[in-house]
Amino acid sequence: MNLPIVTHRVEFLRHPHPGFPHLMAWGVRIDGTDLRVLVVGATRELWSRELDEDDHTPQEHEEFLLRQHAPLHLDDDVDGDRARSHFLGDSPPDLRDRDTGALCLLGCSCGIDACWPLLAVLRATATEVTWSGFHQPRRPEWGELHLGPYVFPRPHYDEALAAPVLLAHDPLARLLGEP
């Protein structure tokens, strides 16, 4: 039995990088939800096996989960050409897993995208773009995260990538305890 393919809506965002407001970042929303929030849901239980709950207040724990990744900096991509290439699967070697071809969709909150990346396999055709196989390469024991797959209609994906939503602040700033 073939199940119907569920399509999703993607938005690309441009805003100051969290923690490094002088740098611009490329964020992502899927169906109106920041990808970092979706990752929190997929990793909360995995982190609970590693973190001692007595070391943090519930608010500190949530901030830690939200800060595990940051939008991509993409090295001063002023005109967006690098991001367009990257988000269509033509990623530089430092933002790609050489074994699987998976690419970095979120980077590390330290400002170095490849330090703590969220990787996913990107498949682009003339009609759709699919993100699947999400994983954290620094935690191979976690395996594939319960996230996606996300299928985006190609025309909408291309439009969203060509015209990212410009924001004056990181959309998660309040949740991250920032002004």
Side-chain angles (χ1 to χ4, degrees):
M1 171 171 77
N2 289 334
L3 297 174
I5 295 175
V6 176
T7 60
H8 298 272
R9 184 174 50 85
V10 67
E11 292 174 278
F12 292 95
L13 314 172
R14 291 286 283 155
H15 58 78
H17 191 285
F20 300 93
H22 63 286
L23 303 176
M24 289 298 285
W26 283 86
V28 178
R29 284 186 190 141
I30 299 174
D31 298 329
T33 302
D34 194 291
L35 181 56
R36 292 171 289 172
V37 172
L38 296 171
V39 172
V40 167
T43 60
R44 179 178 272 112
E45 180 60 32
L46 298 166
W47 277 117
S48 72
R49 298 176 197 161
E50 296 184 32
L51 300 175
D52 186 349
E53 291 183 25
D54 294 333
D55 288 343
H56 304 285
T57 67
Q59 181 179 348
E60 289 170 335
H61 184 73
E62 283 304 303
E63 285 180 18
F64 169 82
L65 293 174
L66 285 169
R67 287 181 193 278
Q68 69 182 299
H69 292 291
L72 295 178
H73 172 235
L74 295 175
D75 296 330
D76 297 320
D77 184 24
V78 177
D79 59 10
D81 287 342
R82 185 167 186 215
R84 281 187 283 284
S85 293
H86 176 77
F87 286 112
L88 286 171
D90 185 18
S91 301
D94 64 320
L95 296 179
R96 174 179 292 287
D97 183 287
R98 66 177 166 214
D99 297 326
T100 65
L103 59 89
C104 183
L105 292 178
L106 291 174
C108 184
S109 57
C110 78
I112 300 171
D113 292 332
C115 179
W116 181 262
L118 173 71
L119 299 181
V121 174
L122 183 146
R123 185 177 59 81
T125 69
T127 59
E128 64 188 27
V129 176
T130 303
W131 294 354
S132 63
F134 289 84
H135 64 283
Q136 171 42 261
R138 307 292 187 256
R139 291 291 193 278
E141 66 275 14
W142 286 3
E144 187 174 323
L145 299 176
H146 295 287
L147 193 61
Y150 298 107
V151 179
F152 310 107
R154 181 65 186 261
H156 174 76
Y157 189 93
D158 289 340
E159 289 170 16
L161 192 51
V165 177
L166 300 175
L167 302 172
H169 304 284
D170 179 350
L172 299 186
R174 286 191 197 146
L175 295 175
L176 295 170
E178 298 170 6

